[in-house]
Amino acid sequence: QVHPVESGGGLVQAGGSLRLSCAASSGRTFSWYAMGWFRQAPGKEREFVAANNWSGDSTYYLESVKGRFTISRDNVYDMVYLQMNSLKPEDTAVYYCAVARNYISDLRHRGLYDYWGQGTQVTVSS
């Protein structure tokens, strides 16, 4: 069983920045097909934020975060990061790291991922 571990969340004022990290090592190089980020605010469904696959040829972002958030990865250590700039109060949510063990047809669909972290809280004050 793989237990992804997120870190880097916290409280920040509007316009500030945070960098989230997720570790999900399997002990082997190129272990996972894809890793990504989702978020869930109170009273709302969990939504896709950003993801890419291990080959690096597919990357997607939620439209509202394009130009502000950047996903990156470390292939050697099975790490994925989310750099969040120009944060807005509407970005407030619990952010979850997700791992797809095998090929999935769409990186934006949360139901296709195999492993999930417990989440890290991001709170943006106005």
Side-chain angles (χ1 to χ4, degrees):
Q1 176 66 35
V2 175
H3 179 206
V5 179
E6 306 100 333
S7 62
L11 174 64
V12 64
Q13 291 183 310
S17 298
L18 288 171
R19 191 193 192 203
L20 306 184
S21 301
C22 175
S25 178
S26 69
R28 296 185 293 116
T29 305
F30 304 118
S31 297
W32 318 120
Y33 177 77
M35 296 179 69
W37 293 95
F38 294 75
R39 68 186 183 187
Q40 187 167 19
K44 300 181 67 176
E45 293 187 359
R46 191 171 300 185
E47 68 177 348
F48 166 80
V49 177
N52 62 16
N53 62 4
W54 247 206
S55 66
D57 57 5
S58 296
T59 304
Y60 300 96
Y61 291 97
L62 176 67
E63 186 67 27
S64 64
V65 309
K66 286 182 178 178
R68 300 189 298 120
F69 291 9
T70 303
I71 188 170
S72 60
R73 65 182 183 178
D74 184 325
N75 291 326
V76 175
Y77 297 106
D78 292 328
M79 298 281 294
V80 66
Y81 307 93
L82 187 68
Q83 179 66 46
M84 305 185 294
N85 299 324
S86 301
L87 283 162
K88 304 175 180 179
E90 50 262 46
D91 295 317
T92 295
V94 177
Y95 284 70
Y96 296 90
C97 175
V99 176
R101 186 172 181 267
N102 303 121
Y103 171 83
I104 58 175
S105 59
D106 193 337
L107 303 182
R108 299 163 295 185
H109 291 180
R110 65 181 186 269
L112 300 179
Y113 287 83
D114 298 295
Y115 308 116
W116 293 84
Q118 296 190 70
T120 184
Q121 176 70 231
V122 172
T123 302
V124 184
S125 62
S126 60

